[in-house]
Amino acid sequence: MPEIMFGSRVRKSPYFEATVAAGASVFTIYNHMYMPISYGDLTEEYRCLTERVALWDVAAQRQVEIAGPDAAQIATYVSARDLGGLQPGRARYAPICDHNGMLINDPVVLRLSEDRFWFSIADSDLGLWIKAVAAERGANVRVFEPDVSPLALQGPLAEELAVDLFGADVVGSLGFFHHVSVALDGIPIVLCRSGWSKQGGFEMFLTDGSKGVALWDMVMAKGARFGIGAGAPNAAERIESGLLSFGADHDMHTDPFEAGLGAWVNLEVAHDFIGKAALSQRFERGLERGLVNVSFVGDAADVASVLPLAHPHRLCASGQPLGELRSAAWSPRLGKGIGIAVVDRSAMEAGTRLDAEISGSKFSVVVAHQPFGAAVD
Ligand code: THG
């Protein structure tokens, strides 16, 4: 395989040196930054995440900060989910759409104070968009990327390790999607109970990039007795858990209803927001297609040999194209290949069988009840 050059144009995370020292062997590029996605053994990383605790460099989930007297107004205007009632110290997952109602990002939004927000973004240049919207509206805000780099602690033992690190008082009173400013040996962090897995855990938003390696080493040292391991957002676990990856599963040609994110679109609000009119129309029209979970059928070794999926693949029934397989990975727990596909409405029902050709071989997938974590299949 060819290699990717580690040059100075694509940015490095404050944890970069620590992840390389820990054996990171596969990287992707996300928000113009290198992000480790594997340390060489995805099955062991899955076990560590689902049975113990894993440490992930997710600094590439960059923050777009909106600060100033009109911050709430701009945050609310760009978001399809109502952020009006979001209290300081709380976070919400929020689909962001363009004027046609198409998704352009799906960040976690943290409100730090009355007039300060962080949009913790997926992989697209949302900062440019918000900066332009704020300027065009003459809003009194500053929109910029602060020195903030999330490090995720995920897994069933994350809670105990967090208590060791931050104390039972801080951790015990921190609800899901709540956050609080803390310091660890003088290292400043915003600690949030959040993360891109359903194993439970926290995200430590480091606010001083010069302390990245120190923070990584400290968490690793304290985590040793819990069997902590270096890891990364895990494709199999997140597909099981129904967490979507922007750019892979849904993209700028997908609306939030098709993506299954309709519960987080607030059309009933009194205020206008970008995409509101188009989203209302799309909602009235109903779904023409949508995202579904799928399971592979057939020989396990054959299936495992083509996963994780390198790029989207067309899905057909009786030779007729009905959709596209967007992401897929081998699930060690379920013992089968699982994926996320976008399919025509007629093919969305559980049990629908679809065919794909991957690396020159024929495979079949079946539409599953979803998400896998909550279903029998
Ligand atoms: N953490 C932070 N930033 C991020 C991500 C993250 N930015 C990019 C990407 N991940 C955004 N995508 C998601 C998708 C789902 C969730 C979080 C970020 C998520 N969803 C929960 C669910 O679906 O059950 C809860 C949603 C809610 O209750 O509001 O957590 O992981 N910092």
Side-chain angles (χ1 to χ4, degrees):
M1 280 295 279
E3 290 177 9
I4 282 195
M5 186 191 71
F6 284 85
S8 50
R9 184 179 51 77
V10 176
R11 304 178 291 178
K12 298 198 179 70
S13 138
Y15 313 111
F16 182 78
E17 302 299 338
T19 62
V20 171
S25 56
V26 186
F27 283 78
T28 187
I29 293 167
Y30 193 99
N31 285 323
H32 313 284
M33 184 175 274
Y34 299 108
M35 177 167 79
I37 53 164
S38 179
Y39 290 76
D41 185 344
L42 284 173
T43 300
E44 167 50 26
E45 288 164 38
Y46 177 96
R47 278 210 192 95
C48 185
L49 167 63
T50 55
E51 294 170 15
R52 305 191 309 271
V53 55
L55 188 63
W56 303 351
D57 171 4
V58 285
Q61 293 168 355
R62 302 311 289 167
Q63 314 306 300
V64 176
E65 178 161 336
I66 311 177
D70 295 333
Q73 184 214 310
I74 292 300
T76 304
Y77 182 60
V78 298
S79 173
R81 181 164 182 187
D82 185 16
L83 300 178
L86 181 62
Q87 299 296 317
R90 300 285 194 271
R92 270 180 200 164
Y93 175 51
I96 310 293
C97 296
D98 68 12
H99 298 78
N100 298 318
M102 295 292 142
L103 284 161
I104 57 171
N105 205 294
D106 64 339
V108 174
V109 178
L110 291 79
R111 187 169 198 169
L112 299 154
S113 62
E114 279 306 315
D115 59 1
R116 240 181 112 209
F117 293 79
W118 283 347
F119 282 51
S120 183
I121 63 174
D123 186 21
S124 81
D125 292 315
L126 190 65
L128 296 176
W129 172 271
I130 298 180
K131 206 188 267 261
V133 168
E136 291 287 316
R137 291 174 74 81
N140 185 2
V141 288
R142 227 158 56 83
V143 181
F144 61 103
E145 189 190 272
D147 174 8
V148 176
S149 300
L151 183 64
L153 201 56
Q154 301 284 297
L157 303 185
E159 177 90 17
E160 278 182 74
L161 173 53
V163 167
D164 262 16
L165 288 163
F166 303 104
D169 288 354
V170 168
V171 174
S173 58
L174 199 67
F176 184 62
F177 270 39
H178 293 200
H179 53 88
V180 64
S181 282
V182 293
L184 209 54
D185 265 8
I187 303 177
I189 294 163
V190 172
L191 179 69
C192 187
R193 191 185 287 271
S194 55
W196 210 55
S197 85
K198 284 278 165 82
Q199 303 308 310
F202 303 84
E203 291 177 302
M204 298 170 278
F205 292 75
L206 170 68
T207 57
D208 177 353
S210 71
K211 307 261 169 66
V213 174
L215 175 60
W216 174 282
D217 288 346
M218 190 179 305
V219 177
M220 276 297 187
K222 283 257 189 186
R225 74 184 182 92
F226 299 102
I228 195 170
N234 185 277
E237 195 281 340
R238 71 96 183 166
I239 294 172
E240 286 174 14
S241 299
L243 297 169
L244 301 183
S245 175
F246 184 74
D249 308 322
H250 52 334
D251 57 20
M252 297 197 190
H253 306 286
T254 318
D255 78 33
F257 308 116
E258 294 168 338
L261 301 178
W264 290 303
V265 174
N266 294 118
L267 293 173
E268 73 287 358
V269 294
H271 66 263
D272 193 22
F273 61 84
I274 297 179
K276 187 182 187 186
L279 285 165
S280 300
Q281 279 182 10
R282 298 187 75 87
F283 181 73
E284 293 304 325
R285 213 182 304 150
L287 282 186
E288 287 168 8
R289 54 179 208 148
L291 291 191
V292 291
N293 284 107
V294 297
S295 300
F296 279 77
V297 292
D299 183 79
D302 288 350
V303 172
S305 74
V306 296
L307 301 180
L309 205 65
H311 50 86
H313 285 274
R314 195 166 59 193
L315 292 172
C316 296
S318 309
Q320 192 197 348
L322 284 178
E324 203 173 57
L325 185 59
R326 292 281 173 90
S327 302
W330 180 259
S331 165
R333 181 173 69 85
L334 298 172
K336 62 183 181 183
I338 56 174
I340 294 177
V342 59
V343 298
D344 285 9
R345 198 195 165 95
S346 65
M348 286 178 70
E349 204 174 317
T352 305
R353 192 179 171 117
L354 297 159
D355 306 314
E357 194 177 303
I358 305 174
S359 304
S361 301
K362 293 195 188 317
F363 291 92
S364 290
V365 298
V366 173
V367 175
H369 297 286
Q370 49 195 299
F372 290 101
V376 280
D377 61 348

